[in-house]
Amino acid sequence: MPTTLSQGPVNDRPVIGILTQLVSDEVMKPFGRTYIPSSYVKYIESGGSRVMPIRLALTGAEYENIFSKINGLLFIGGSADLETSEFARVAKIFYRLALTANDAGDFFPIWGTCMGLQLLTALVAGENLLANTSAENIALPLNLTTEANSSKMFEGFPDELMKALTQEPLTGNFHHFGVTVETFQENEKLKNFFSVLSTNVAENGAHFVSTIEGKKYPFYGVQWHPEVNRFQWDRKLNFPHSHHAVQLSSLLADFFVNEGRRSLHRFDDPEEEASSLIYNYTPVYAGNFTAYEQIYFF
């Protein structure tokens, strides 16, 4: 039977920007001022997108220009002040641009992983609301909320995987801080902006928010690390590598890149596009001094 496809314009050559992170570890400082672990790059590429690294020392006008050409943005994990660091300053520029664009019907998604989720909550709330929610080097199942079943992030997940998410340690946690469920529920800005899709319990017993999704805006956050399930292998660290863990990582990468395909931003100049991509950089083998096998330095 002939079918009619009823969908809007789709961008099948998306470029997702990844905001570089400040180097804070002394052993990494000789290699560069900012960095992106290659696991995040591979994660985005595995979903069918190219990656543009975004440096932290550019002007506001340059960031606006970049925003008009990329199709989504990833805030990675790491260590930086959520209010005063360059990382936070640049993230705030893109966050405001994304709000304005989405309000005008110009679709633009943002994803935050680990500190990236924490940063999203600080941007929305206008303040740092972190507390000690240490879950360091531990893989956990998710305590899914009722909102998870109607979420965009988990839409289309097989029933078997949704069940496994609640029973198997599929999510790698490597953090000391987070937003507690109590703090989230008491903050009207956060409660109105995000749906909580899952929670977890920290080593000190604190209940923390582990997965969030924007109610109106295509902004998503996970306190855990989906990229490590397929792309990090340090034996000393609890990276989940089971079939379900790999499936989870794959489906989330596909989901976010598909969100990026809905953005029609593009480069007008193919040469500028080519020179902006991660392919122009060579990752450094870093397994002898970090948990990452490879890191891009800038």
Side-chain angles (χ1 to χ4, degrees), residues 67 93-108 216-217 219 265:
F67 180 80
I93 293 172
F94 279 101
Y95 169 73
R96 289 177 170 172
L97 289 170
L99 287 179
T100 301
N102 282 294
D103 284 340
D106 177 13
F107 192 87
F108 189 91
K216 175 184 177 184
Y217 298 94
F219 299 169
H265 294 187

Side-chain angles (χ1 to χ4, degrees), residues 112-124:
T113 291
C114 196
M115 195 187 77
L117 175 147
Q118 299 166 11
L119 180 59
L120 282 173
T121 65
L123 290 170
V124 170

Side-chain angles (χ1 to χ4, degrees), residues 183-251:
T183 296
F184 185 96
Q185 292 174 339
E186 290 175 350
N187 189 285
E188 290 299 321
K189 291 180 179 178
L190 288 182
K191 203 163 56 171
N192 291 333
F193 196 98
F194 289 114
S195 297
V196 176
L197 306 188
S198 77
T199 64
N200 279 99
V201 180
E203 295 163 8
N204 63 358
H207 288 247
F208 64 91
V209 172
S210 52
T211 311
I212 56 176
E213 175 177 289
K215 295 181 177 181
K216 175 184 177 184
Y217 298 94
F219 299 169
Y220 309 92
V222 289
Q223 186 59 66
W224 38 284
H225 289 263
E227 78 285 350
V228 304
N229 294 11
R230 289 186 292 167
F231 301 115
Q232 288 186 227
W233 296 94
D234 191 320
R235 293 182 180 274
K236 299 186 295 295
L237 300 175
N238 287 310
F239 297 141
H241 294 304
S242 69
H243 167 69
H244 284 142
V246 171
Q247 185 182 23
L248 171 64
S249 175
S250 178
L251 288 177

Side-chain angles (χ1 to χ4, degrees), residues 123-198:
L123 290 170
V124 170
E127 58 180 318
N128 185 339
L129 296 172
L130 299 187
N132 180 5
T133 62
S134 184
E136 181 60 44
N137 193 23
I138 183 171
L140 298 168
L142 296 180
N143 301 318
L144 295 178
T145 67
T146 55
E147 293 175 293
N149 293 322
S150 59
S151 68
K152 291 183 289 182
M153 189 186 295
F154 296 134
E155 183 181 7
F157 271 38
D159 291 341
E160 178 188 348
L161 181 58
M162 289 299 285
K163 182 178 180 181
L165 258 178
T166 66
Q167 298 178 351
E168 300 174 15
L170 303 184
T171 66
N173 289 260
F174 302 90
H175 60 91
H176 297 288
F177 301 98
V179 177
T180 66
V181 174
E182 181 181 13
T183 296
F184 185 96
Q185 292 174 339
E186 290 175 350
N187 189 285
E188 290 299 321
K189 291 180 179 178
L190 288 182
K191 203 163 56 171
N192 291 333
F193 196 98
F194 289 114
S195 297
V196 176
L197 306 188
S198 77

Side-chain angles (χ1 to χ4, degrees), residues 47-113:
S49 176
R50 295 160 296 163
V51 166
M52 177 182 180
I54 301 176
R55 298 170 180 268
L56 299 182
L58 306 181
T59 66
E62 287 174 310
Y63 290 127
E64 289 184 25
N65 181 50
I66 291 171
F67 180 80
S68 71
K69 294 170 180 176
I70 61 174
N71 308 108
L73 184 64
L74 170 61
F75 297 148
I76 66 174
S79 178
D81 190 286
L82 299 186
E83 294 177 295
T84 62
S85 67
E86 287 184 71
F87 185 75
R89 178 187 69 84
V90 177
K92 191 172 186 178
I93 293 172
F94 279 101
Y95 169 73
R96 289 177 170 172
L97 289 170
L99 287 179
T100 301
N102 282 294
D103 284 340
D106 177 13
F107 192 87
F108 189 91
I110 296 178
W111 182 284
T113 291

